[in-house]
Amino acid sequence: QPQGPLTGLRVLVTSGPTHEPIDPVRYIANRSSGRQGHAIALAAAQAGAHVTLVSGPVNLPAPPGVHVVHVESAREMLAAVEVALPADAAVFTAAVADWRVAGAAEEKIKKQGGGGAPSLNLVENPDILASVSRMKAGRPQLVVGFAAETEKVLAHAQAKLARKGCDWIVANDVSPESGVMGGDRNTVHLVTAEGVEDWPTMGKDEVARRLVARIADALARGGVK
Ligand code: C5P
């Protein structure tokens, strides 16, 4: 384990998409690759932290020195996060599906003869970031969320900071023309109670190292409050 500014501290990171089952062979998902979240977990481990990475299904190797917990659905992710706590800092990078199919079928849904398609009844998933941000006991000192937006990036991020109760939001533009989804580079804005910092476009690994340096700084000052 490398020594660094996070030595002796625990960091929890979520990453990747979630898969929400429709039936045993089908699911609802999204385009998250997990690259940004995995890069943050690696950077935190390289800074000396004890890191647990709760990851949805991704095509990425486990970052060296990181304890990885694999999950599929949002509800599994929430349960794994609860097991992984307490932590000094938690970074919620995962693109959690907002909805799941109510009462997923236990057998494969068959095509209906004579046409017609089944309708899916969606229900809201638990909001993992909001529930950890609002913990009465054992809340991480620093809770960081992400806001992947396709428009009005900063306005939505500032609203999200208040709505979720987290300390920081890392806002990024994931509109198709940005190339961020699945790509190597990212353009982010760090939104805190103090204001907004615009970071230049850089590799996702560099975003991760800068964010981890900021987290180490905030924890060294005793948190953000
Ligand atoms: O509301 P929205 O999904 O845009 O919020 C994004 C942030 O909230 C991300 O940090 C994401 O990991 C987190 N989130 C979560 N659980 C959900 C939905 C989002 O932790 N069900």
Side-chain angles (χ1 to χ4, degrees), residues 6-7 14 41 63 107 121 142 144:
L6 289 177
T7 294
T14 69
E107 305 292 344
N121 184 12
L142 187 63
V144 183

Side-chain angles (χ1 to χ4, degrees), residues 183-208:
D184 279 329
R185 295 175 75 73
N186 207 351
T187 311
V188 308
H189 314 269
L190 182 63
V191 182
T192 72
E194 264 74 71
V196 179
E197 277 176 35
D198 301 317
W199 291 8
T201 298
M202 57 187 114
K204 288 181 178 175
D205 49 354
E206 185 61 25
V207 170

Side-chain angles (χ1 to χ4, degrees), residues 29-196:
N30 61 64
R31 295 186 186 282
S32 170
S33 67
R35 284 172 179 229
Q36 187 62 77
H38 278 54
I40 292 166
L42 176 63
Q46 287 174 339
H50 177 288
V51 182
T52 301
L53 172 63
V54 179
S55 176
V58 295
N59 283 309
L60 295 173
V66 169
H67 175 58
V68 185
V69 180
H70 296 279
V71 300
E72 296 227 337
S73 68
R75 288 193 291 179
E76 287 170 15
M77 186 171 276
L78 174 61
V81 161
E82 285 169 348
V83 168
L85 291 174
D88 298 285
V91 186
F92 293 92
T93 327
V96 182
D98 290 313
W99 306 282
R100 68 175 180 275
V101 177
E106 287 186 12
E107 305 292 344
K108 184 180 172 189
I109 300 170
K110 307 303 285 181
K111 259 191 243 174
Q112 293 155 2
S119 51
L120 297 178
N121 184 12
L122 299 180
V123 292
E124 209 166 315
N125 266 329
D127 191 314
I128 304 167
L129 170 63
S131 75
V132 171
S133 295
R134 302 232 149 79
M135 283 172 62
K136 295 275 182 288
R139 180 191 189 275
Q141 276 187 66
L142 187 63
V143 179
V144 183
F146 270 68
E149 306 287 354
T150 56
E151 39 118 37
K152 297 190 198 133
V153 175
L154 285 184
H156 284 146
Q158 277 162 328
K160 200 159 288 185
L161 190 67
R163 191 168 71 241
K164 305 260 188 176
C166 58
D167 302 305
W168 299 349
I169 287 271
V170 180
N172 59 343
D173 183 348
V174 295
S175 57
E177 54 280 11
S178 73
V180 162
M181 277 281 187
D184 279 329
R185 295 175 75 73
N186 207 351
T187 311
V188 308
H189 314 269
L190 182 63
V191 182
T192 72
E194 264 74 71
V196 179

Side-chain angles (χ1 to χ4, degrees), residues 22-35:
I22 296 171
D23 66 19
V25 299
R26 304 183 179 100
Y27 56 81
I28 298 175
N30 61 64
R31 295 186 186 282
S32 170
S33 67
R35 284 172 179 229

